[in-house]
Amino acid sequence: MHSSKPPRRKVAPANGDDSGDKLDQLLLSSAICNNEDLGPFIRKAFASGKPETLLHHLRQFARSKESEIEEVCKAHYQDFILAVDDLRSLLSDVDDLKSSLSDSNSKLQSVARPLLSSLDAFVETRNVSRNVNLAIESVHTCVELMEVCSRANRHLAGDNFYMALKCVDTLEREYLEKTPSTTLKRMLERKIPEIRSHIERKVSKEFGDWLVEIRVVSRNLGQLAIGQASAARQREEDLRIKQRQAEEQSRLSVRDCIYALEEEEDDEIAAGSGIGEDGYGNGGGIVGFDLTPLYRAYHIHQTLGLEERFKQYYYENRKLQLTSDFQVSSMTPFLESHQTFFAQIAGFFVVEDRVLRTGGGLILKMEVENLWDIAVSKMCSVLEDQFSRMQTANHLLLIKDYVSLLGVTLRRYGYPIDALLDVLSKHRDKYHELLLSDCRKQIAEALAADKFEQMLMKKEYEYSMNVLSFQIQTSDIVPAFPYVAPFSTTVPDCCRIVRSFIEDSVSFMSYGGQLEFYEIVKKYLDRLLTEVLDEALLKLINTSVSGVPQAMQMAANMTVFERACDFFFRHAAQLSGIPLRMVERSRRQFPLRKARDAAEETLSGLLKAKVDGFMLLIENVNWMADEPPQSGNEYVNEVIIYLEILVSTAQQILPTQVLKRVLQQVLSHISEKIVGALVSDSVKRFNVNAIIGFDVDIRLLEQFADNQASLFADGDADELKMALAESRQLVNLLLSNHPENFLNAVIRERSYNTLDHRKVVIVSEKLRDPSDRLFGTFGSRGARQNPKKKSLDTLIKRLKDVS
């Protein structure tokens, strides 16, 4: 056989005379010889419907190859004969070898049979040994397995779930696959999942109980935390009071100041929360702040491989609890439930802060921030709704104070509270409007109860409560008791209302995120004084003051109010933490100016009306008297007696400056009345003796003014006399020997600056010399004309020309 591929056979082309069958046979033979695919020939034969022709050609090709095979066999016959001879020779050798091997085998078996018997005994013994060892190992494994099962049962019975899970993990990892007992293996395969499910249920139940308990604990914890913040705030307030007292002492006397340093204890919620340094609650705190069930459940779920599921479960449950905490009962007024509402939220986030810091990733900071954002949004919404409904300033202040304490408490734990403070600031105007409304009612009640009588104080504590507490005393010396104050009960009552307003305003503005709020407090204090107190006093003066004693008491009250207003602004500055020197540096106008001016105008008006009654006696003046009265006219004596009585009474109540202003107005009014009488149409003419009588009257009034010099400061008595300037200048002009000097601008400005030239003309025309009476010219015919009369006539003529 040749390994090389036979050469491709070539078929000689047929003659042109050959038929188509012959050509097909040649092509088929050529394809078979060349090992080509015969598929086309077969398809062609069947397609033409002549498969017999194809079979005929194949048979012819096979017959043509038989002769070639025969030639090949003949060529290799000799080699085949030689190979057969070699095989026969080899067969003989094999038979010899077989006989030799059989003999050797017989000998080997005879010799090895005892050894084989011993070997069989050894193998059997070794198998028995192996079986025994395997049994011992199996028993030992079973014993260890049962010991682990026993420990797991003990831990389960003692609720030591973590150790029980460790035992279960050991059973599953080390004993489940190599347990020789199928019964034990089936038991383990069934019980291990059951134990884990049992532990998960138990831990979940404990965690559920903890969730229920922590709500009550959170409320108590929140109340404790806010209470500690309130105590800390109170200590700060006490320290500020001591600082203000020290500042006041330093203002009064530097040597009397006493300075002391005090230490403040830092209250921490954790001190009473039962939280240990390791982050696990020990349940021994004031409010039982125990996180052991939570951390235990978290640890167990970590061991069970359910950490992420437990985290999500914890977050969702706490979120639901927070949402339920937001429910505000419509059956209970918010004023009664707001402390519980905010304390619950405060305790919730105190707990979450502890869990965040010690929970080992149980809750993320982002999740706590999300919960806080939800809480802030809801609290702001609740505050907006409740504040919009409130119509009492005190209620709004109570809630604001508690919310600010909530903010202080949670800010210590890093929670942002700006949104809550913004809500409080947003309702600042409404609070003050309500506060102003309350004060308006209180002031109206206080003024309605006033009897316009000086206040009697029998004890020193009354003096301290009604005078010293508002710094309205005029002397640092404590008076003897019983003490009659120059003011009525209205003053301390209104001062208490204003002081309460200041304290409430500062209380609302304090701890609201705004450090400097004095200007705001001052703005609302201005409104209280100008829009409420001033208007109320003005209304009282216009409607209830009908007599001189009442008007005098109101004028005295207004003077005391002026000192009280200085105290109000100092008190507001002190409470706002502003140095008093800054307030004293920026002095303000008296905010009760309208009421003060109205009180003085009312008093002076009543006094003028009283004086007018005496001035009616001016009608009794003898205008054409033959001799001037030596002691003044009747009316002036009555007026001076009344004024002296008035001054003796008023100086006990009215301050000197008020008394001076009132007397000035009264004297000015008397002066106007005298001038008015001279100008009046009811007086047709008068003589010099009548003018001399008025000169005596004015000198008596000027003497009265001089007598008051002891009551007033230097120069005040002269100011009182200036109130009589118009009547004095008119009388001086009429008694002057040179009345034409009135026409001189320099002299007129110096000596007659208050006179109206029209009045001068009228009065001058009425003044006639006694020789000018009717027909008097006949007896004096040829006599020389009086130079004063001539000067007066010139004055009248010139003044008429000017007018």
Side-chain angles (χ1 to χ4, degrees), residues 193-300:
E194 291 179 0
I195 292 173
R196 286 175 175 166
S197 298
H198 171 74
I199 292 175
E200 183 181 358
R201 286 194 303 272
K202 289 282 289 185
V203 170
S204 297
K205 182 179 182 304
E206 291 181 1
F207 174 66
D209 295 339
W210 178 84
L211 284 175
V212 175
E213 179 185 358
I214 200 63
R215 294 194 67 182
V216 180
V217 171
S218 296
R219 181 168 59 252
N220 297 333
L221 179 62
Q223 291 173 345
L224 174 65
I226 294 176
Q228 290 177 347
S230 177
R233 178 179 292 183
Q234 186 60 45
R235 287 195 297 272
E236 292 177 2
E237 291 295 334
D238 295 341
L239 182 60
R240 287 197 190 96
I241 292 174
K242 293 180 181 179
Q243 290 174 343
R244 287 197 294 269
Q245 292 174 348
E247 183 180 357
E248 185 68 19
Q249 289 178 355
S250 66
R251 192 170 63 89
L252 298 175
S253 175
V254 177
R255 292 175 296 178
D256 294 338
C257 293
I258 300 175
Y259 298 93
L261 295 176
E262 295 187 359
E263 296 182 357
E264 292 191 27
E265 298 179 359
D266 187 16
D267 295 323
E268 292 291 341
I269 301 300
S273 62
I275 301 299
E277 294 180 356
D278 56 356
Y280 287 89
N282 53 21
I286 296 176
V287 293
F289 185 13
D290 187 7
L291 295 178
T292 301
L294 172 63
Y295 292 156
R296 182 182 186 185
Y298 179 48
H299 195 193
I300 295 300

Side-chain angles (χ1 to χ4, degrees), residues 550-692:
Q550 293 177 338
M552 192 177 299
Q553 187 63 65
M554 282 303 304
N557 288 351
M558 296 312 303
T559 303
V560 181
F561 273 127
E562 192 164 358
R563 292 195 298 271
C565 286
D566 293 336
F567 162 76
F568 295 149
F569 288 102
R570 288 198 305 270
H571 189 56
Q574 283 182 327
L575 294 180
S576 303
I578 300 297
L580 289 180
R581 60 180 179 275
M582 296 181 63
V583 181
E584 294 173 352
R585 194 180 302 159
S586 58
R587 287 291 182 181
R588 307 176 48 82
Q589 291 184 342
F590 182 44
L592 306 179
R593 294 187 302 278
K594 292 181 181 179
R596 180 191 62 188
D597 295 343
E600 293 184 9
E601 290 175 2
T602 302
L603 176 59
S604 63
L606 291 172
L607 291 175
K608 290 175 184 178
K610 192 72 175 178
V611 168
D612 287 343
F614 298 113
M615 292 300 292
L616 293 175
L617 297 175
I618 203 170
E619 298 176 354
N620 299 331
V621 172
N622 187 356
W623 299 103
M624 302 299 294
D626 295 332
E627 293 181 359
Q630 299 299 318
S631 59
N633 292 300
E634 180 185 5
Y635 78 90
V636 76
N637 293 320
E638 295 293 335
V639 167
I640 290 176
I641 292 173
Y642 176 73
L643 291 179
E644 288 176 347
I645 296 174
L646 171 69
V647 171
S648 64
T649 304
Q651 67 181 356
Q652 305 297 325
I653 301 177
L654 293 179
T656 56
Q657 291 301 317
V658 176
L659 179 59
K660 185 195 76 171
R661 289 195 296 268
V662 171
L663 288 177
Q664 276 182 314
Q665 295 176 11
V666 173
L667 292 176
S668 177
H669 180 70
I670 294 173
S671 177
E672 292 173 0
K673 282 291 184 179
I674 294 175
V675 174
L678 294 173
V679 177
S680 174
D681 294 336
S682 61
V683 179
K684 300 302 180 180
R685 63 174 56 190
F686 47 82
N687 59 18
V688 174
N689 292 330
I691 298 302
I692 293 174

Side-chain angles (χ1 to χ4, degrees), residues 529-540 592 594-595:
L529 295 176
T530 57
E531 298 179 11
V532 179
L533 183 57
D534 194 27
E535 295 295 332
L537 290 171
L538 187 61
K539 180 179 179 181
L540 178 69
L592 306 179
K594 292 181 181 179

